[in-house]
Amino acid sequence: MDTFSLSEDQVLIRETARDVAKEKIAPLASGFDAREEFPWESVKQLQELGFMAMMVSPEYGGSGLDTLSYSIAMEEISAACASTGVTMSVNNSLAAYPLEAFGTHEQKDVFLRSIADGGGLGAFGLSEPDAGSDAAGMKTTAILEGDNWKLNGSKMWITNGGVADVYIIFAKTDVNAGHRGISAFILKKGDIGFEIGAPEKKLGIRASTTTPLQFDECIIPHDRLLGNEGDGFKIAMKTLDGGRIGIASQALGIGQAAIDAAIEYAKVRNAFGGPIARFQGLQWKIADAAMEIEAARMITWKAARMKDAGQNYTLQAAMAKLYSSEASVRAADMSLQIHGGAGYSRDFPVERYYRDSKITAIYEGTSEILRLVIARELLGKY
Ligand code: CAA
């Protein structure tokens, strides 16, 4: 497997993503962040390019591209605006993927198509107020009554909550069966008994929306069950394997943007009679961060290639997300330090990179849960 070189198509995707990121998305990012406003304008650019459903088959309105192309595009978009990046990642990895992988033709024709080329957005509802890392500990229930499912409970930390049209929701259909009693459902905005709460006030990715969801005697038809009854936990885990490649790529984008900003600033900021770039203490900080982000990129690309090759990539996706997110946090911290007081002000984007990088080590599996996933994959049963 050649981890290192890109095909002509992948190079073209990178150039296209880089151009739109620099020219259209980056100029808007600070404003959306400051106003905590959802970046519709940026998202619409991505919809026009087919970036919101990159890996979805053309039969359902997607671009039919590979995961490595997706990773490359995610990195470029996230370097410009991490809020736009996570919106893109959730639509591609957490909503479109499970619909395509586990949905019926009828479900794909309606729901997948609507978030692939229909202008709609998708969301993924797994976490709850009392069940984040322990996803199987969820309390939301779904009971079959005649031809309908009745959902009761709540979800929390839902990216794209409120702006999405299609929601993949996990609920217990058998409360006595542990993770084997969890099933997946497709909900629509506007379903009776489905309420969306107020957006969270966050440290970073402030332009992305994150809301709670509430199900109060929410009635949905039987044919909105996604996959088989009881398969929900495995659907969630497989979906998160792919999601972790998306978030690893988002982290790479933020980290690379922070390094690029540090290099630019170090060359123009003068102290003690010349540019601060001449100080070896600062050069080594930049060198270490660049090396870590490059290593993180290689693990992420490897995970993407393994997914495309149909291999089990749970281990590599967990390593990619863990290493990239932590390298991104370190790169943003390094860049802010090199910027000094300027970096602490809102006049430079580095304070946004610093705030945005942190979430990549938390959502879609905290660093601690990913270490557990990696160790379980390595040690197996004993
Ligand atoms: N693929 C397929 N199956 C998997 C799997 C995978 N990657 N991981 C686990 N499974 C299967 C296991 O094989 C097991 O199967 P059996 O029933 O046949 O035995 C079953 O699932 C249960 O597995 P575990 O015993 O390992 O389950 P656990 O309860 O110990 O939990 C966990 C494992 C890794 C901690 C899991 O709960 C987890 O990943 N937690 C983190 C959840 C998470 O990432 N949440 C993010 C929320 S989404 C978000 O942040 C999105 C956003 O909006 C941006």
Side-chain angles (χ1 to χ4, degrees), residues 90 94 124 126-127 132-133 135-136 157 159 179-180 233-234 237-238 240-241 244 314 363-365 369 373 376:
V90 166
L94 299 192
F124 177 85
L126 180 69
S127 303
S133 289
W157 310 119
T159 305
H179 65 265
R180 294 199 177 108
F233 192 73
K234 287 191 183 172
M237 292 299 114
K238 284 194 172 147
L240 283 167
D241 282 344
R244 288 167 187 162
T314 299
Y363 56 20
E364 299 198 30
I369 287 296
V373 170
R376 283 186 183 179

Side-chain angles (χ1 to χ4, degrees), residues 270-322:
N270 290 316
F272 305 101
I276 60 172
R278 74 193 194 286
F279 296 124
Q280 195 177 54
L282 302 196
Q283 291 174 1
W284 285 17
K285 285 183 200 291
I286 293 171
D288 283 347
M291 174 183 66
E292 288 190 11
I293 289 293
E294 181 66 2
R297 187 176 289 117
M298 291 301 101
I299 308 177
T300 305
W301 287 11
K302 181 172 180 188
R305 286 207 198 269
M306 288 178 75
K307 176 167 177 275
D308 288 334
Q311 297 168 355
N312 183 332
Y313 64 99
T314 299
L315 173 67
Q316 283 73 18
M319 285 181 171
K321 209 283 239 179
L322 170 59

Side-chain angles (χ1 to χ4, degrees), residues 3 29 76 97 119 131 133-134 193 235 275 297 306 312:
T3 311
E76 298 297 332
Y97 168 79
S133 289
D134 179 13
I235 292 176
R297 187 176 289 117
M306 288 178 75
N312 183 332

